[in-house]
Amino acid sequence: AQTVTQSQPEMSVQEAETVTLSCTYDTSESDYYLFWYKQPPSRQMILVIRQEAYKQQNATENRFSVNFQKAAKSFSLKISDSQLGDAAMYFCAYRSGGGSQGNLIFGKGTKLSVKP
Amino acid sequence: EAGVAQSPRYKIIEKRQSVAFWCNPISGHATLYWYQQILGQGPKLLIQFQNNGVVDDSQLPKDRFSAERLKGVDSTLKIQPAKLEDSAVYLCASSLSGISNQPQHFGDGTRLSIL
């Protein structure tokens, strides 16, 4: 069974600085997707960024980028120029690929605080 | 485009009572998911529908939880009778289809407290 581990329960960053959130996963599959979701106090899970395992190039979305290390099964999220609105819970998630209908498997999350 | 709608936003009941949650997915989305998120954890899938059929309910405690999506649009999740460990946020999500490359869009969830 696949597992997702987020080893940092809480992180803090100064506004305008850069922070990296860690995620590791375990799988025997070669085709899969990895995601980072943001969950503010409003509770809605918002997709931040997605990475296809078959793509070597790291995904980027504006101030958000990932460092995908397939061999090491590591998928970290870097937030540049942190803003107060980035404060939230961040969840790393895994989903089997290959056209399957596998469900999302989430880590326990990292609470990010942004200091003004 | 309207997002995933859920109601109620909060619910407080006593143990052994019953409760129901409602979800209306994004228009045109064939796949609907119910997740349970216990405090301090990530969401866990309870059930996945493709139109009005169940794709995966392997983690649904079927002795007390039930869900339906009769017309393949909105869905109801019911708990009867509720236990203390059912206190959680219940999230509904939808996607165009169930294949892995389709992003899931989440609602705001229902926070359930069991006294």
Side-chain angles (χ1 to χ4, degrees):
Chain A
Q2 296 82 21
T3 58
V4 176
T5 303
Q6 293 179 250
S7 59
Q8 306 154 317
E10 296 187 28
M11 291 284 285
S12 180
V13 64
Q14 203 72 31
E15 193 175 9
E17 297 292 307
T18 295
V19 64
T20 299
L21 308 184
S22 301
C23 173
T24 58
Y25 59 95
D26 190 25
T27 184
S28 58
E29 299 173 334
S30 59
D31 188 7
Y32 50 88
Y33 296 85
L34 295 166
F35 305 84
W36 278 99
Y37 279 88
K38 171 185 177 182
Q39 188 178 41
S42 67
R43 300 200 300 261
Q44 186 182 38
M45 298 286 279
I46 302 164
L47 179 62
V48 174
I49 200 164
R50 180 180 80 170
Q51 175 79 42
E52 292 90 343
Y54 61 85
K55 289 187 177 179
Q56 292 187 338
Q57 187 173 6
N58 289 325
T60 62
E61 287 287 343
N62 301 315
R63 297 183 295 107
F64 298 88
S65 62
V66 298
N67 184 4
F68 174 48
Q69 302 289 326
K70 191 171 184 178
K73 296 179 182 174
S74 170
F75 183 62
S76 60
L77 174 70
K78 186 171 82 171
I79 306 174
S80 303
D81 186 24
S82 296
Q83 300 175 1
L84 294 177
D86 295 333
M89 286 291 294
Y90 286 82
F91 291 93
C92 179
Y94 171 102
R95 194 176 192 194
S96 297
S100 71
Q101 299 209 25
N103 64 72
L104 277 170
I105 300 169
F106 288 89
K108 290 189 174 183
T110 297
K111 183 178 181 180
L112 178 66
S113 302
V114 181
K115 298 178 180 178
Chain B
E1 170 181 85
V4 176
Q6 288 189 247
S7 67
R9 189 144 172 82
Y10 302 92
K11 189 73 177 179
I12 302 173
I13 62 172
E14 294 185 349
K15 60 183 179 182
R16 292 188 290 273
Q17 287 187 325
S18 63
V19 63
F21 314 123
W22 174 81
C23 172
N24 194 26
I26 292 173
S27 178
H29 280 195
T31 309
L32 185 147
Y33 311 81
W34 283 102
Y35 289 87
Q36 180 192 56
Q37 185 178 17
I38 293 173
L39 185 65
Q41 298 183 20
K44 180 187 80 172
L45 181 73
L46 290 175
I47 189 167
Q48 176 183 346
F49 290 96
Q50 181 72 17
N51 296 310
N52 61 353
V54 176
V55 174
D56 182 358
D57 64 355
S58 57
Q59 299 191 85
L60 186 73
K62 298 180 184 65
D63 57 334
R64 298 182 300 105
F65 285 65
S66 65
E68 59 184 16
R69 194 185 183 199
L70 293 176
K71 297 182 179 178
V73 180
D74 58 345
S75 176
T76 303
L77 176 70
K78 296 179 181 177
I79 308 175
Q80 181 180 13
K83 290 186 175 181
L84 292 176
E85 63 256 35
D86 299 332
S87 293
V89 173
Y90 290 84
L91 294 164
C92 180
S94 71
S95 60
L96 274 173
S97 74
I99 59 174
S100 301
N101 65 355
Q102 291 293 324
Q104 295 183 22
H105 302 265
F106 286 80
D108 289 344
T110 297
R111 181 179 298 278
L112 175 65
S113 298
I114 312 293
L115 304 178

